Amino acid sequence: MNRRIAFATGLTTAAALALAATLPAQAASPPPWRIVSQRHFGASDAYNGLASVVVTGRNNAWALGGTDLSGATKGTPLAEHWNGSNWQRAALPAGLSNELGAASAPRGNDVWAASVLGEYVLHWTGAKWVVARKWKVSGLSEELTGVTAFSASNVWVFGGPGAYPGLGTWHLHGTTWTHLTTAPAGGITAASAVSARNIWAYGASTTAPDAIIAHYNGTTWRQVTSPALSNLQFTGIVALSAANVWATAIKGGIANKPVLVHFNGTRWQRVAVPWPLNVFRATADGQGGLWIVGDTVSTSTQRTYVLHRSRSGAWSRYLLPAGSGLLSVARIPGTTSAWATGDTPRSAGGGYAAIWAHGSVG
């Protein structure tokens, strides 16, 4: 299975093979996203891609991925750094394979990233990348699917089961890593935090992957229940405040049946998405609205959109060039500008590691 698709949707294999529905006419687009970097590393046919972007300011951002997201080979991890003027490749510890997926950056000198098939977690100390934790894996390897960091001594790493077995939930507190196995904590895929004592997440139920929302109150994890959350497969979550939490999902595990759910501090409500797309990885736009990645999934064609939902609820979308995939979007703090990462096709085969920009980023 192409891990670019698995990154993007979090869908089950059956859902990922569903044919895309016919899309309605293109709505008015938001200001266009533009490619600012596309580079290729490794073998000529390697499918480079950047799975995550984390941003701490105008002069500091990290784009993380690998030389082969196709799954054909393990490839090697990639890290690119924005210094306020340009993107430059950064050195990683020697001898690593696989690609980097989830990442989190509480501050510019404290960045965390996890390999996708659960071999290690890396830490940027402000001077260099170091291996913070390694796992002994076997068979197909086990997934690491999320990272939420608050400091160099308070980090959550998640490995929810999905396309591959998960490594479970690990919490670094001080200098000790603790493995949480009790449900719902043991099945979390990814999380978004208001604070260290107010974390929202999605993950596996006892019967299905990515079927529940969970909340951490500083002491314990518990599953959140609401009719609005039933029969959904979640693909992303973003907690903007204690009374403003969004999750992206698809209905009943069926591809191209999108839905948003919103928590207003009291209850969850469903919000319709106007196009038959898969939606995932929402992020704040800096004006009370959301940027959301959306795409069609089929056995032969994938088209990727950047969706925008304004604070008033108006929708628009921007279609990326054919063959391009977008995997992560992050707003530049204090602005309405943003970075996005993914991949673009190469005429010589394989793909480029690509970075897009929206608004003023220089």
Side-chain angles (χ1 to χ4, degrees):
M1 179 180 180
N2 186 321
R3 288 207 293 273
R4 189 187 85 176
I5 295 176
F7 269 133
T9 64
L11 301 178
T12 62
T13 301
L17 294 178
L19 292 177
T22 301
L23 296 177
Q26 177 79 11
S29 294
W33 290 76
R34 61 193 186 277
I35 291 178
V36 295
S37 175
Q38 51 180 7
R39 299 198 287 173
H40 188 265
F41 308 97
S44 61
D45 60 348
Y47 214 115
N48 289 189
L50 295 168
S52 292
V53 59
V54 289
V55 188
T56 61
R58 281 191 173 274
N59 299 325
N60 193 56
W62 287 93
L64 304 151
T67 59
D68 197 348
L69 300 193
S70 71
T73 69
K74 277 195 171 184
T76 56
L78 291 175
E80 297 201 52
H81 180 243
W82 171 256
N83 59 14
S85 299
N86 52 63
W87 286 94
Q88 296 179 335
R89 188 175 182 182
L92 295 174
L96 299 178
S97 61
N98 216 308
E99 65 267 14
L100 296 171
S104 181
R107 55 191 59 84
N109 63 353
D110 186 13
V111 185
W112 297 78
S115 66
V116 174
L117 291 183
E119 296 177 359
Y120 52 87
V121 170
L122 300 184
H123 180 215
W124 171 254
T125 64
K128 62 180 181 178
W129 284 96
V130 299
V131 176
R133 166 89 169 148
K134 293 193 78 171
W135 284 264
K136 183 178 180 180
V137 296
S138 60
L140 288 174
S141 297
E142 291 81 36
E143 288 189 303
L144 289 176
T145 51
V147 179
T148 300
F150 299 97
S151 71
S153 59
N154 188 3
V155 182
W156 291 89
V157 177
F158 306 104
Y164 298 87
L167 261 178
T169 295
W170 297 78
H171 185 207
L172 173 64
H173 186 70
T175 59
T176 302
W177 289 91
T178 302
H179 186 197
L180 283 72
T181 58
T182 304
I188 289 173
T189 297
S192 179
V194 178
S195 70
R197 302 183 66 83
N198 187 355
I199 309 173
W200 294 89
Y202 69 95
S205 69
T206 56
T207 59
D210 298 336
I212 66 167
I213 298 292
H215 181 251
Y216 180 71
N217 62 7
T219 304
T220 59
W221 287 94
R222 67 176 182 87
Q223 181 179 343
V224 177
T225 58
S226 166
L229 303 177
S230 63
N231 195 34
L232 297 178
Q233 185 176 11
F234 297 99
T235 59
I237 194 163
V238 56
L240 305 178
S241 72
N244 190 12
V245 181
W246 293 86
T248 53
I250 57 170
K251 297 178 184 177
I254 301 173
N256 304 316
K257 297 290 185 181
V259 66
L260 292 180
V261 288
H262 180 242
F263 180 66
N264 64 6
T266 304
R267 65 190 182 106
W268 289 90
Q269 292 180 296
R270 293 195 180 190
V271 177
V273 180
W275 303 286
L277 299 166
N278 297 308
V279 291
F280 55 97
R281 294 201 179 185
T283 193
D285 70 352
Q287 297 177 304
L290 297 171
W291 291 109
I292 304 168
V293 180
D295 64 21
T296 60
V297 174
S298 73
T299 55
S300 59
T301 303
Q302 178 175 335
R303 294 304 303 269
T304 300
Y305 295 79
V306 185
L307 311 181
H308 184 256
R309 185 181 188 274
S310 72
R311 184 172 185 172
S312 66
W315 286 89
S316 56
R317 62 181 179 164
Y318 175 73
L319 177 63
L320 268 63
S324 296
L326 203 65
L327 299 173
S328 183
V329 180
R331 182 175 64 91
I332 300 171
T335 77
T336 58
S337 301
W339 293 108
T341 55
D343 59 86
T344 55
R346 296 177 73 230
S347 59
Y352 292 104
I355 300 171
W356 285 261
H358 171 76
S360 175
V361 294

